[in-house]
Amino acid sequence: VSLRQVERIFTEATGLGPKAFLRNVRFNRVVRAFCLGGRRDLAALALESGYCDQAHLSHDFRTLSGATPAAFVRSLDRMSLFYNKSRPK
């Protein structure tokens, strides 16, 4: 089986090419880490998630989400405050 055939089979099975699929996997790792309230050091998170560096993470994040990582984290914080605020008795 040639490399091109493997790529074609992969694309048929997942709907994405191998590179696009891997890009989405890395992005989802970062989003999950943010949602779980984990470490927010972007350089370390980038390496743990499979990015080459922080700039690569930031570029992909803006491209795929339309927001910077910092703006995304702020939106999570706002949602957390909204859903976890004390309810009057």
Side-chain angles (χ1 to χ4, degrees):
V1 178
S2 70
L3 176 60
R4 180 65 189 125
Q5 278 186 300
V6 171
E7 289 174 350
R8 198 173 303 122
I9 292 167
F10 188 92
T11 301
E12 287 175 12
T14 64
L16 296 169
K19 284 186 177 186
F21 185 84
L22 181 57
R23 185 181 194 194
N24 283 320
V25 167
R26 286 190 307 250
F27 173 75
N28 285 325
R29 286 180 187 161
V30 172
V31 169
R32 187 176 327 119
F34 284 149
C35 290
L36 293 174
R39 183 176 25 193
R40 294 187 179 169
D41 173 24
L42 287 183
L45 183 58
L47 294 176
E48 291 170 6
S49 301
Y51 287 98
C52 297
D53 55 21
Q54 180 179 343
H56 189 193
L57 179 154
S58 295
H59 179 267
D60 266 6
F61 204 93
R62 273 192 303 272
T63 301
L64 295 172
S65 74
T68 64
F72 181 79
V73 168
R74 282 193 302 273
S75 72
L76 287 177
D77 290 342
R78 283 193 306 273
M79 286 188 284
S80 178
L81 289 173
F82 177 78
Y83 287 107
N84 294 317
K85 63 184 172 186
S86 301
R87 297 185 181 184
K89 293 184 180 186

